[in-house]
Amino acid sequence: MERILHKILVPIDFSVNSKNALLYSSSLAQPFQAELHLLYVIEPVIYSPDFSMGQITLPSIDTQEIEARSREELQKLIKTQLPETLPSRITVRIGKPFSEIIDYARQENIDLIVISSHGHSSVEHILFGSTSEKVVKKAPCPVLTLREPLKGFNYKEQLTAS
Protein backbone atom coordinates (compact mmCIF):
# COMPACT_ATOMS: atom_id res chain seq x y z
CA MET A 1 0.00 0.00 0.00
CA GLU A 2 1.31 3.41 -0.95
CA ARG A 3 1.86 5.86 1.87
CA ILE A 4 -0.67 8.65 1.40
CA LEU A 5 0.17 10.70 4.47
CA HIS A 6 3.70 12.04 4.78
CA LYS A 7 3.09 15.26 6.73
CA ILE A 8 0.24 16.15 9.09
CA LEU A 9 -0.12 19.68 10.43
CA VAL A 10 -1.66 20.18 13.87
CA PRO A 11 -2.24 23.81 14.87
CA ILE A 12 -1.80 24.09 18.65
CA ASP A 13 -3.14 26.87 20.85
CA PHE A 14 -2.51 24.91 24.09
CA SER A 15 -6.25 24.46 24.73
CA VAL A 16 -7.51 21.03 25.78
CA ASN A 17 -9.20 20.66 22.39
CA SER A 18 -6.00 21.32 20.43
CA LYS A 19 -4.07 18.90 22.66
CA ASN A 20 -6.74 16.29 21.99
CA ALA A 21 -6.38 16.98 18.25
CA LEU A 22 -2.67 16.23 18.67
CA LEU A 23 -3.45 12.86 20.27
CA TYR A 24 -5.90 12.04 17.50
CA SER A 25 -3.34 13.08 14.87
CA SER A 26 -0.79 10.82 16.49
CA SER A 27 -3.07 7.83 16.01
CA LEU A 28 -3.56 8.82 12.34
CA ALA A 29 0.15 9.35 11.73
CA GLN A 30 1.49 6.12 13.27
CA PRO A 31 0.42 3.61 10.59
CA PHE A 32 1.97 5.84 7.90
CA GLN A 33 4.95 6.99 9.98
CA ALA A 34 3.86 10.47 8.89
CA GLU A 35 5.70 13.44 10.32
CA LEU A 36 3.61 15.56 12.69
CA HIS A 37 4.07 19.31 12.37
CA LEU A 38 2.99 21.27 15.45
CA LEU A 39 2.35 24.94 14.71
CA TYR A 40 1.70 27.64 17.30
CA VAL A 41 0.81 31.13 16.11
CA ILE A 42 1.36 34.20 18.26
CA GLU A 43 -1.27 36.74 17.30
CA PRO A 44 -0.09 40.38 17.56
CA VAL A 45 -2.25 42.67 19.67
CA ILE A 46 -4.00 45.44 17.74
CA TYR A 47 -4.99 48.60 19.60
CA SER A 48 -7.03 51.53 18.33
CA PRO A 49 -6.86 54.43 20.83
CA ASP A 50 -8.37 56.89 18.37
CA PHE A 51 -10.48 55.76 15.43
CA SER A 52 -9.13 58.60 13.27
CA MET A 53 -5.65 57.04 13.47
CA GLY A 54 -6.67 53.54 12.40
CA GLN A 55 -5.24 50.45 14.03
CA ILE A 56 -1.72 50.30 15.41
CA THR A 57 0.21 47.32 16.70
CA LEU A 58 1.39 47.60 20.27
CA PRO A 59 5.08 47.02 20.83
CA SER A 60 5.58 43.40 21.76
CA ILE A 61 6.25 42.65 25.40
CA ASP A 62 9.15 40.47 24.37
CA THR A 63 8.39 38.45 21.28
CA GLN A 64 11.58 36.44 21.61
CA GLU A 65 10.66 35.40 25.14
CA ILE A 66 7.13 34.42 24.09
CA GLU A 67 8.53 32.43 21.15
CA ALA A 68 11.05 30.66 23.39
CA ARG A 69 8.37 29.73 25.97
CA SER A 70 6.06 28.54 23.19
CA ARG A 71 8.80 26.30 21.78
CA GLU A 72 9.44 24.86 25.26
CA GLU A 73 5.74 24.07 25.71
CA LEU A 74 5.56 22.45 22.27
CA GLN A 75 8.61 20.32 23.12
CA LYS A 76 6.88 19.23 26.36
CA LEU A 77 3.82 18.19 24.36
CA ILE A 78 6.00 16.10 22.05
CA LYS A 79 7.72 14.39 24.99
CA THR A 80 4.56 13.72 26.97
CA GLN A 81 1.93 13.12 24.28
CA LEU A 82 3.67 11.48 21.32
CA PRO A 83 5.47 8.17 20.85
CA GLU A 84 9.25 8.61 20.65
CA THR A 85 9.33 6.84 17.30
CA LEU A 86 6.92 9.26 15.62
CA PRO A 87 8.76 12.01 13.71
CA SER A 88 7.67 15.49 14.70
CA ARG A 89 8.59 19.10 14.13
CA ILE A 90 7.63 22.35 15.88
CA THR A 91 7.21 25.84 14.49
CA VAL A 92 6.22 29.14 16.07
CA ARG A 93 5.02 32.00 13.88
CA ILE A 94 3.62 35.47 14.42
CA GLY A 95 0.47 36.62 12.61
CA LYS A 96 -3.19 35.80 12.07
CA PRO A 97 -3.63 32.11 12.96
CA PHE A 98 -5.73 31.08 9.93
CA SER A 99 -3.37 32.84 7.52
CA GLU A 100 -0.22 31.37 9.08
CA ILE A 101 -1.73 27.86 9.12
CA ILE A 102 -2.60 28.08 5.41
CA ASP A 103 0.79 29.57 4.47
CA TYR A 104 2.63 26.91 6.46
CA ALA A 105 0.62 24.11 4.84
CA ARG A 106 1.55 25.45 1.38
CA GLN A 107 5.22 26.02 2.18
CA GLU A 108 5.73 22.62 3.81
CA ASN A 109 3.62 20.62 1.33
CA ILE A 110 1.37 19.32 4.12
CA ASP A 111 -0.90 16.37 3.24
CA LEU A 112 -3.52 16.87 5.97
CA ILE A 113 -4.41 19.51 8.56
CA VAL A 114 -6.05 18.30 11.77
CA ILE A 115 -7.62 21.18 13.67
CA SER A 116 -9.94 21.36 16.64
CA SER A 117 -13.18 23.27 16.46
CA HIS A 118 -13.80 25.23 19.65
CA GLY A 119 -17.49 26.00 19.14
CA HIS A 120 -17.66 29.72 19.95
CA SER A 121 -20.95 31.40 20.73
CA SER A 122 -22.95 32.67 17.76
CA VAL A 123 -22.08 36.30 18.61
CA GLU A 124 -18.33 35.54 18.67
CA HIS A 125 -18.67 33.64 15.42
CA ILE A 126 -20.42 36.56 13.71
CA LEU A 127 -17.87 39.09 14.98
CA PHE A 128 -14.65 37.13 14.51
CA GLY A 129 -15.40 34.09 12.38
CA SER A 130 -13.80 30.77 13.08
CA THR A 131 -10.14 29.99 12.52
CA SER A 132 -10.99 26.39 11.64
CA GLU A 133 -13.71 27.53 9.22
CA LYS A 134 -11.31 29.88 7.42
CA VAL A 135 -8.69 27.13 7.23
CA VAL A 136 -11.23 24.69 5.74
CA LYS A 137 -12.20 27.24 3.08
CA LYS A 138 -8.67 28.19 2.00
CA ALA A 139 -6.35 25.28 2.80
CA PRO A 140 -4.29 23.74 -0.01
CA CYS A 141 -4.94 20.22 1.35
CA PRO A 142 -7.68 18.24 3.12
CA VAL A 143 -8.66 19.48 6.59
CA LEU A 144 -10.05 17.28 9.33
CA THR A 145 -11.93 19.30 11.95
CA LEU A 146 -12.48 17.71 15.34
CA ARG A 147 -15.34 18.67 17.61
CA GLU A 148 -15.47 17.52 21.23
CA PRO A 149 -16.34 14.95 22.41
CA LEU A 150 -14.89 12.78 19.69
CA LYS A 151 -17.01 9.68 19.22
CA GLY A 152 -15.11 6.42 19.50
CA PHE A 153 -11.75 7.91 20.49
CA ASN A 154 -10.45 7.37 24.02
CA TYR A 155 -7.80 9.99 24.85
CA LYS A 156 -6.73 8.19 28.03
CA GLU A 157 -6.03 5.00 26.08
CA GLN A 158 -4.07 6.99 23.52
CA LEU A 159 -1.92 8.57 26.22
CA THR A 160 -1.03 5.22 27.79
CA ALA A 161 -0.24 3.75 24.36
CA SER A 162 2.27 6.54 23.61
Side-chain angles (χ1 to χ4, degrees):
M1 182 169 104
E2 185 182 336
R3 212 172 93 174
I4 57 171
L5 292 176
H6 297 273
K7 297 178 182 180
I8 299 173
L9 173 59
V10 187
I12 299 288
D13 63 6
F14 299 108
S15 67
V16 171
N17 288 355
S18 72
K19 290 176 183 178
N20 286 343
L22 178 62
L23 290 174
Y24 191 85
S25 300
S26 170
S27 69
L28 281 176
Q30 288 178 43
F32 299 100
Q33 275 300 295
E35 182 177 49
L36 283 181
H37 290 241
L38 285 67
L39 173 65
Y40 177 69
V41 180
I42 301 166
E43 192 166 7
V45 178
I46 305 293
Y47 177 69
S48 182
D50 177 2
F51 290 110
S52 65
M53 292 178 58
Q55 292 182 336
I56 59 171
T57 303
L58 288 175
S60 72
I61 297 164
D62 185 358
T63 306
Q64 290 179 339
E65 184 179 325
I66 294 169
E67 277 189 65
R69 292 213 46 228
S70 301
R71 288 181 193 287
E72 285 174 23
E73 290 302 312
L74 289 170
Q75 287 293 354
K76 281 183 195 175
L77 280 178
I78 287 172
K79 287 180 183 172
T80 60
Q81 308 290 310
L82 300 179
E84 288 180 22
T85 57
L86 193 63
S88 59
R89 192 168 141 190
I90 62 167
T91 303
V92 176
R93 289 190 169 187
I94 299 171
K96 285 280 189 200
F98 80 91
S99 181
E100 293 300 324
I101 292 165
I102 292 163
D103 288 347
Y104 185 90
R106 270 195 192 97
Q107 291 166 358
E108 296 296 326
N109 198 25
I110 296 295
D111 299 306
L112 176 68
I113 300 171
V114 178
I115 189 167
S116 64
S117 172
H118 293 284
H120 296 291
S121 72
S122 56
V123 173
E124 285 178 299
H125 185 76
I126 290 167
L127 292 175
F128 305 112
S130 159
T131 297
S132 54
E133 184 179 335
K134 290 173 186 172
V135 170
V136 167
K137 287 181 179 179
K138 298 184 183 240
C141 62
V143 179
L144 175 60
T145 57
L146 303 177
R147 185 173 174 90
E148 297 292 330
L150 202 56
K151 183 179 178 180
F153 188 75
N154 187 328
Y155 295 107
K156 290 179 184 175
E157 277 182 22
Q158 184 64 26
L159 273 174
T160 56
S162 294

